[in-house]
Amino acid sequence: MNKSFDLFVIGGGINGAAIARDAVGRGLSVQLAEMGDYARGTSSASSKLIHGGLRYLETYEFGLVRTSLRAREVMMRIAPHVVFPLRFLIPITRTQPRPAFVVRLGLWLYDTLSERKVLAPSGRLSAAQVRALPRLRKEGVRSILHYPDVLADDARLTLETLLDARGRGADVGNYREVTAVRLYSDGYLVEYRDNSGLHTTQARFVVNAAGPWATRVLQRVENMERCRKLRLVRGSHIVVDMPEPAHTDAYTLQIDDKRVVFVLPWLKCYMIIGTTDADHEGDPGNVQCSHAERDYLIAAYNQFFNPAINVDDVVWSYAGVRPLIDDDNTNLSQITRDYVLEVEPYGRGGLVTVYGGKLTTHQNLANDVLAKIAGLGAAMGPAWTNDVPLHGGAMDRRQLAELAASETVLTPQIRERWVSTYGSEAAGLFEAVRNDPALGREIVPGVPVAELVHAIKVEDARTCEDFLYRRTKLFLNLNLEQTTRIQTWFKSRLCAKEDTNEHGYSRKVG
Ligand code: FAD
């Protein structure tokens, strides 16, 4: 007997997650399949910015910037544990590609288009503030402008959205690959494979939210002839140790080739430097930062900071593929980051394919997808996601700090890391350790058993990589022997999936 749902979502990246959460909250029955781990595609490989996208003003995408800035406010409200406001600095130099007045105009527009309730407006640093900035090369710098934006944990944002959808009744699963979508009566039969075999689900509506794999998924849909061309554009980042004294601000650097490179303080001890734009051929799941991209990012940093960094300072690098709509633009940075939805009605239902999009606008995208599904005849409730905290988002940062400080179990470091990783859900983890002190035993220093059990039981981790790379970023802190110990623990508990390590999740030992 086939299972039956109103909506089947293909893809457990941020967009599939947001669509599933929104739909189930509006009263649809929803099933979601992710062929690997949640967020294993583009949604764990972004620049991690929930931002308006200052540079999209250059391509006159005012609507996209306004929508994104509003989405930024929403995320700060509903997911305070996965978003981190930062001050971004833009050094204005004599030789930069954009005149200073253009940057100032851009910031004025950015302020005007946003509905800032929490974040400060943009402005200019005083001479004394500029002098106090560590490591910035001051020669040639005429002034430094600043504006606020927000850094997010992209993989956890995706996961929290999926856990929220599940909490509301959606059937959400990873390591489920959709192999075929067949026409059936007045809807679809969706076939997917997981480790227990092949399954079939009946659904009236299907959403293809497979990101860079969207066109490949369409090839698995019976009688599907329409298919847009996607341009797969790789973007890479390098991660280096945070030097002392630490940068507390992020930087938006204008590079001579007119591109922008971000330097982002990350997890207190690291800096992310990125990103690049390069055409990508082949499997979107097999993507790595090339040596040329790495060298480009190192040179971009060194143009503005002293002492210089070199290849040996890079502790990790990662890359992802943007699924952009192919508009034949030769300048890859200028292809729109907005999304397009294609609707294919069928019987009493239909299929919606998502092309493109940004991490920032995932809730808007979900809302638009559901409007298309309503247009195909589905009855559903009104929009709701802008005001309801996400899974783990029930406490603001002050309350989370109080929670960590008031607990007596575990070390202060673990408590602090747990509240910033799991948000308000950390309370349940503390309680578990209080009730069963054996769960507080640290498998490796700083990683108690309770966290691994939670990763498997609540967050669907199936491999060591799922836990160390996407549920947490612990791989950056562990040595090979410690990583192996966690790997062994996972294998003994699950005896199931092989570790893929597709993102190269071990820190490079220098
Ligand atoms: P994905 O995250 O790729 O998810 C698609 C999922 O579908 C994958 O997990 C895949 O495994 C699954 N799938 C595929 N085929 C099947 C199948 N047959 N069955 C089941 N599942 C399947 N946006 C911002 O807002 N801010 C930024 O700072 C930012 N920086 C970026 C930097 C880079 C380098 C890149 C590449 C993108 C950046 N983006 C940014 C864009 C943002 O990351 C993407 O728009 C977003 O992550 C896309 O999410 P998605 O869910 O559409 O795709």
Side-chain angles (χ1 to χ4, degrees), residues 227-344:
C227 184
R228 274 187 183 245
K229 226 172 120 201
L230 272 184
R231 182 100 173 250
L232 300 185
V233 177
R234 185 176 67 246
S236 296
H237 297 81
I238 55 173
V239 175
V240 298
D241 281 323
M242 177 67 85
E244 280 294 328
H247 290 286
T248 49
D249 297 298
Y251 281 86
T252 302
L253 305 177
Q254 301 185 72
I255 310 303
D256 296 339
D257 60 6
K258 281 204 89 177
R259 292 191 68 266
V260 160
V261 167
F262 294 109
V263 176
L264 307 163
W266 192 47
L267 303 174
K268 295 195 181 134
C269 339
Y270 304 102
M271 294 188 295
I272 298 178
I273 306 172
T275 180
T276 55
D277 289 284
D279 270 315
H280 182 77
E281 305 285 338
D283 180 5
N286 183 10
V287 48
Q288 273 152 13
C289 174
S290 69
H291 285 183
E293 288 172 291
R294 180 198 61 194
D295 295 345
Y296 170 86
L297 294 171
I298 289 174
Y301 180 88
N302 290 344
Q303 195 185 324
F304 288 86
F305 296 98
N306 195 12
I309 56 168
N310 61 44
V311 176
D312 294 333
D313 294 310
V314 177
V315 296
W316 183 52
S317 63
Y318 67 91
V321 176
R322 303 176 186 88
L324 304 181
I325 299 137
D326 195 351
D327 56 7
D328 290 327
N329 202 325
T330 49
N331 185 337
L332 299 181
S333 307
Q334 289 195 347
I335 302 177
T336 183
R337 267 49 175 170
D338 214 345
Y339 53 82
V340 168
L341 307 177
E342 290 259 323
V343 183
E344 195 71 32

Side-chain angles (χ1 to χ4, degrees), residues 380-397:
M380 62 179 81
W384 62 279
T385 51
N386 279 357
D387 298 307
V388 181
L390 210 57
H391 185 264
M395 292 182 190
D396 63 25
R397 291 215 156 261

